[in-house]
Amino acid sequence: MQTRPCRGNQTLGKEATIARNKIQRRVQAAILGDAADPEAKDANSRHAESGLSISAAQKESVQAVLLKCRGAKAPARTSDEQKAPARTTYGMTEGFEIGPGRRTGTYTVATPLQHLLTDGHEKGATWILKEVGVQCLVRRARINMSKKVAVQLITLFLLLYTRGVAGEDVTVFSLQPDIWEAPRDDVFLRFNMSLQQVAASVSEFSVCSRVFPTALTTLQVLFSYATADSFSNALMMYIKDGRHSFRYNNVPQRILEDVKVPTVLRRWRHYCHVVSGDRYAAFIDGAEVASGPVQVDNRVLPLNGTLVVGQEQDGLSKKMDKRQILKGFVAQVNLWSYGLPGHVVASIANCERNDRGDVFSSDRLASGLELINVDSMKKPVQDLCNRNETFIIFPEKRTFMESVKICALFRMKIYAPADTEINRELNATMWREGFCAGTINMWIGVSDEMEEGVWRRFSDSRVITDINFAGGQPDNTREENCMAMAGGEGVWADYGCREKNIACVPCAERVSIPLYMRGICTEMRTETMFEVLGYTASRPFFHGFHGYMLTSERNDWHLLDTVANRSLARLTLPSRNVYPIGKHQWTLASPICDQPVGSELVISLSTCETGEYMCDSGQCIDVDARCDAKDDCDDQTDEDDCSVLDVPENYRNFKPPKSVENPVTALPLDLQFNFLRILRIEDVQQAIHLEFTLSISWFESRLRYLNLREDIHANKLSPAEKDSIWRPRLEFPNVQDGELKLLRDDVFVKKLNNSLPFDFNAVGMDNVYSGDSALLVQVQHYSGSFVCRFNVYYYPFDAQHCSVSLQVSSVSKDLVSLSEERTSVLFSEDSTLPTYTIGNFSSESSNYFGRESGMKIKYTLTRRYTLIVLSVYMPSSMLLLVGYSTLYVKVELLQVRLVVSLTTLLVLYTFFNQASSSLPQTAYIKMIDTSGDVGRRSRVMVSAEGLLRLCRLVVVPVAAGIFMVVYWSLILS
């Protein structure tokens, strides 16, 4: 059959034709070994390193097809080629599909092509088949080789088009990376989407970029895509105060806003947003951090607008704002017309592959990408994933133990180079900056204290073997367990850790742990963040994430604002060896926090995070160690100013607070009355001596509380704090003779809810609780006698109903109220008393007190009659029997009768007198009603009179009759 050269689509545009020809050259060079395209040849060699392979027979078949397309013959295999292994490293395994291999930085072709097309590459494959001319190769493949090899060939096209080769260079763009420069609004990348020829619009897409920020702005905008002046947020990815946001057709995807990612500078971070089907997913550094339904009604994204990288456009390619920019570097900005699988995003983020977007890629500069005041450079893609160790040298000479402490203040450890090359860099930095001269230059963060001769780094316990020892070193293998750079040549020597030798100290930098400057009234938390950077005047300086600078001049430190180009404050320290870490009084050079120039302002600088407390020295401790009666700070400042109250200046302690439930109603008080013991019951005096505690709780909405603990007793107010706030004063109207002793008077704070969001400007770093997050609890311990009107009519079978009356003093019940629903009564002792049993505890609101709110705590005393029956009634009955027994004595012995009868009467009188003396005097025979209620008194009096009438008219005559019958019967018999 006659063959003819392959032809692509004759209607291709210029850009598509260039792309087609380039891809064809790269594929042909990769498969045929064509040296005409050096880029493809180099790509082929790197592709071979990636572990992809094609059999020699398949290679020959592909070569034959391509040569036929070019009108040439395939070369015959030499004898050496025939002996060669069955597989060479060209691009495919027999499975011929791109899929994740082992985590070795490579990907293999592992499953059928159909899976590749459904794995997100269908549109890319369609474009290649249509625009690059692969259909000719497929047609030739059907004639000259198996379909399997043809499919492999198409897959190779996909691989080379959509996936860059691992290790190749990427373009890195600089967007105002200078931290000393003020932000500008005329630095950005721009691309006209109308130049792309993939699609007019998409409803599925993936947009990714890799960012290296050097500073932050109010709105850190990674990219902005506008389709019209009125639709400037068709796509937008930005970060504000550490919160990530992504807008799709001007609608924010809310599920991303709750993602918490540490804010760091000077580290590459990869972002990717994927819309596939009805699902949106966000990836940071290859990890999926948020996913859910797409939160937008109109899913169509037109591809005819303007993409701007590094600025927010408030119109179509206009209205830039210098506060809404990206400062730093950016690379690998890509837009695909389909959703990338998660494992592909992870591979790109980990620099295992370098896929380029089919719609847009920042690595295709010829596609029409505009660089507005932007510089570009080439970097190996793997460099974007390297995490190089960094260090900062503190040039002041210190002992080893002092050096450990200065590094610890910055959450660092003494640095140790991992090899001689890094050691030379450390030594070069020392010489370049001109410090650390002397016999001992710098301490090195290694020790062999755990195992003699095995030097381990402080930072990660890694064993260091590549050590450039000075001559004769180490010279004391037992006592000298620390290391220092000595002699100025970068060589190491061992020294004693606790000796008085002094040297500079390099600290291993931890990018993820910033410092925080508190007290300057910033609007965003990230504005308080600082990092230790290079050197000015031979000392490290502190760089604020939003453009503040902290530099030194002799003993002075200056706080500068590089954005506004002004000096803010000055601090003078007693020595050059001291850094502005901790809490200090700064003198203002510009107004801050509404304070005028020249005034003093307390500002702190430390690495302390939320949940920690900063000592005045800058040391960080757990916030629970604050005011725990133990000195946890080295300077012991954690036990200073341990107040749990934050009282506002306009607080009035004579006014009760408003109810948090309903401000127009009275403040409800929760009352708990706890009977501790009944000390004495005086029947005659009608008084009961009690000991009890009274606990009153209420919300004080005007206050705020500090550093509350779970244990209420740890939140006790001092006497001065008690006097500074309003609290209820109580009166007890039924106390006997007004004598009531207050044995204890304490006020506690009971934590109910979590603290308020942390105030990143608060120098004190206290946990603050709102007034409705805690209860004030007043606990008072009383002892005194209370009047109880006894009703002894049924003595000794009586029960006395008593109460303790109390009222809120001098406050109207319209402002403060007691209620039965909020009152509880407790009695924790044995209810059985010597002469009574106590029970029936209850509470009752009382309006007896007029304008003040009152409460009665009621209880019942039931007399224990057993003892009285045994000690009074039984002896009396026996005496009566003895008296009656004299009637059986003969009349002739009248004197005996009289003596016995009189004696019996005298003893009975004694019993009667004794019983009467232990009871209150009454006008009736132990039947007096003192309840005070007229109706009730009437009913009780009727009952008493009826009982008397029954005794007089029935009981006594019947008993007398029975007695007379028995008596005369005996006499007559």
Side-chain angles (χ1 to χ4, degrees), residues 73 111 139 147 161 178 290 356 390 472-473 475 519 560 568 624 641 657 732 785 810 843 883 889 924 940:
K73 293 182 179 180
T111 55
R139 184 170 61 253
K147 184 177 180 181
Y161 176 74
D178 192 340
R356 296 184 178 93
T390 55
Q473 296 292 330
D475 60 355
L560 310 174
L568 298 179
D624 291 335
D641 190 19
F732 298 87
S785 295
S810 303
S843 60
V889 179
Y924 299 95
V940 173

Side-chain angles (χ1 to χ4, degrees), residues 566-596:
R566 61 175 180 166
S567 177
L568 298 179
R570 185 187 75 255
L571 171 66
T572 300
L573 294 174
S575 168
R576 276 184 57 88
N577 289 351
V578 181
Y579 284 82
I581 300 297
K583 189 186 300 183
H584 298 281
Q585 290 271 2
W586 291 68
T587 302
L588 299 185
S590 296
I592 299 179
C593 302
D594 298 327
Q595 299 297 315

Side-chain angles (χ1 to χ4, degrees), residues 190-472:
R190 182 168 59 194
F191 178 71
N192 184 356
M193 281 292 178
S194 299
L195 298 178
Q196 59 82 29
Q197 297 188 8
V198 175
S201 63
V202 293
S203 57
E204 295 185 357
F205 60 88
S206 301
V207 56
C208 305
S209 64
R210 197 183 297 268
V211 178
F212 184 95
T214 57
L216 303 181
T217 54
T218 303
L219 210 64
Q220 187 183 2
V221 181
L222 277 64
F223 57 82
S224 170
Y225 176 60
T227 58
D229 286 343
S230 60
F231 208 76
S232 58
N233 293 325
L235 285 180
M236 183 179 175
M237 164 64 183
Y238 61 95
I239 305 172
K240 182 177 182 179
D241 200 20
R243 297 186 64 181
H244 296 67
S245 298
F246 179 73
R247 287 180 174 267
Y248 173 22
N249 278 342
N250 206 31
V251 178
Q253 304 303 299
R254 299 293 184 187
I255 58 174
L256 181 60
E257 296 179 357
D258 295 329
V259 173
K260 298 183 183 299
V261 181
T263 301
V264 297
L265 298 182
R266 298 182 294 115
R267 174 176 290 180
W268 285 103
R269 178 167 280 174
H270 186 266
Y271 298 93
C272 202
H273 302 269
V274 178
V275 174
S276 180
D278 294 329
R279 184 175 178 271
Y280 162 75
F283 299 82
I284 298 180
D285 288 337
E288 184 178 295
V289 296
S291 64
V294 177
Q295 296 173 318
V296 64
D297 295 329
N298 180 17
R299 296 280 305 280
V300 178
L301 180 69
L303 295 181
N304 60 353
T306 301
L307 176 68
V308 172
V309 178
Q311 291 264 6
E312 185 201 7
Q313 45 185 336
D314 289 329
L316 185 61
S317 191
K318 61 184 179 182
K319 295 183 180 179
M320 311 298 185
D321 189 337
K322 65 182 180 180
R323 297 169 301 176
Q324 301 173 359
I325 68 170
L326 174 65
K327 283 182 70 70
F329 300 90
V330 66
Q332 293 179 294
V333 183
N334 292 285
L335 176 61
W336 289 267
S337 60
Y338 50 86
L340 289 178
H343 69 268
V344 174
V345 175
S347 298
I348 297 173
N350 295 330
C351 301
E352 296 169 352
R353 58 195 291 169
N354 182 27
D355 292 27
R356 296 184 178 93
D358 60 335
V359 177
F360 169 76
S361 175
S362 60
D363 286 313
R364 291 199 292 268
L365 295 180
S367 63
L369 179 63
E370 298 179 78
L371 278 62
I372 313 299
N373 297 320
V374 173
D375 295 327
S376 64
M377 69 192 83
K378 291 287 186 178
K379 270 183 171 290
V381 65
Q382 194 60 45
D383 285 1
L384 307 186
C385 290
N386 291 339
R387 294 288 185 262
N388 297 325
E389 295 179 347
T390 55
F391 56 84
I392 192 75
I393 300 175
F394 293 94
E396 301 80 19
K397 296 293 187 79
R398 296 177 174 86
T399 66
F400 180 81
M401 299 308 296
E402 291 172 341
S403 299
V404 170
K405 290 183 178 181
I406 189 66
C407 288
L409 281 179
F410 296 90
R411 295 283 177 96
M412 304 179 189
K413 295 186 178 180
I414 300 179
Y415 178 69
D419 52 49
T420 54
E421 181 179 351
I422 304 177
N423 187 68
R424 283 193 293 270
E425 180 184 346
L426 178 63
N427 188 54
T429 303
M430 177 188 72
W431 283 105
R432 183 175 63 251
E433 299 298 332
F435 44 58
C436 301
T439 305
I440 306 177
N441 305 125
M442 284 185 292
W443 295 110
I444 302 297
V446 294
S447 175
D448 67 343
E449 191 169 0
M450 293 179 59
E451 185 178 353
E452 188 62 41
V454 179
W455 297 92
R456 300 180 185 273
R457 298 208 305 180
F458 295 155
S459 57
D460 55 10
S461 300
R462 175 180 170 187
V463 176
I464 301 298
T465 57
D466 190 6
I467 300 177
N468 186 17
F469 279 114

Side-chain angles (χ1 to χ4, degrees), residues 868-884 904 907-913 915:
I868 299 174
V869 169
L870 292 176
S871 61
V872 177
Y873 283 87
M874 286 190 65
S876 299
S877 300
M878 294 176 66
L879 288 172
L880 285 174
L881 290 176
V882 171
Y884 278 115
T904 301
V907 174
L908 284 173
Y909 176 77
T910 302
F911 278 120
F912 173 78
N913 191 45

Side-chain angles (χ1 to χ4, degrees), residues 671-872:
L671 176 66
Q672 185 182 83
F673 194 101
N674 185 12
F675 287 93
L676 296 180
R677 57 191 64 89
I678 308 296
L679 300 177
R680 225 171 27 253
I681 299 177
E682 298 179 355
D683 296 73
V684 176
Q685 299 297 327
Q686 301 188 60
I688 303 172
H689 196 83
L690 303 174
E691 193 171 337
F692 59 92
T693 60
L694 198 61
S695 176
I696 300 178
S697 305
W698 70 98
F699 285 105
E700 175 55 278
S701 57
R702 298 172 296 175
L703 298 176
R704 297 199 305 174
Y705 308 103
L706 308 176
N707 306 315
L708 297 181
R709 303 177 184 276
E710 297 296 336
D711 182 9
I712 187 175
H713 294 92
N715 304 325
K716 182 179 177 180
L717 270 59
S718 66
E721 290 173 328
K722 290 191 298 182
D723 293 339
S724 67
I725 63 172
W726 178 90
R727 56 195 185 111
R729 268 66 176 181
L730 300 179
E731 294 179 353
F732 298 87
N734 68 330
V735 66
Q736 188 181 36
D737 299 329
E739 294 183 4
L740 185 66
K741 293 182 180 179
L742 180 59
L743 305 179
R744 190 184 66 168
D745 183 13
D746 293 326
V747 180
F748 304 93
V749 182
K750 182 180 180 180
K751 185 175 77 169
L752 299 179
N753 299 318
N754 295 327
S755 60
L756 295 171
F758 183 72
D759 183 3
F760 49 78
N761 281 308
V763 175
M765 295 193 66
D766 293 308
N767 282 335
V768 181
Y769 297 80
S770 62
D772 57 0
S773 295
L775 278 173
L776 281 173
V777 182
Q778 176 177 277
V779 179
Q780 295 175 319
H781 185 178
Y782 289 97
S783 176
S785 295
F786 291 85
V787 174
C788 177
R789 298 192 179 277
F790 281 43
N791 183 353
V792 292
Y793 180 81
Y794 296 102
Y795 178 88
F797 306 103
D798 56 326
Q800 308 305 327
H801 302 284
C802 303
S803 65
V804 176
S805 298
L806 56 92
Q807 67 181 21
V808 181
S809 175
S810 303
V811 179
S812 170
K813 57 187 175 184
D814 296 331
L815 299 177
V816 179
S817 68
L818 296 169
S819 65
E820 298 176 18
E821 295 78 10
R822 292 177 174 267
T823 302
S824 60
V825 184
L826 302 177
F827 184 77
S828 55
E829 299 294 323
D830 188 359
S831 61
T832 302
L833 307 176
T835 57
Y836 288 90
T837 57
I838 187 170
N840 297 332
F841 299 101
S842 62
S843 60
E844 180 183 284
S845 296
S846 176
N847 296 324
Y848 176 78
F849 305 103
R851 65 183 297 270
E852 291 89 3
S853 180
M855 183 66 59
K856 282 186 177 182
I857 307 301
K858 303 170 70 175
Y859 58 96
T860 300
L861 293 173
T862 303
R863 195 183 302 272
R864 299 177 64 188
Y865 57 83
T866 305
L867 179 62
I868 299 174
V869 169
L870 292 176
S871 61
V872 177

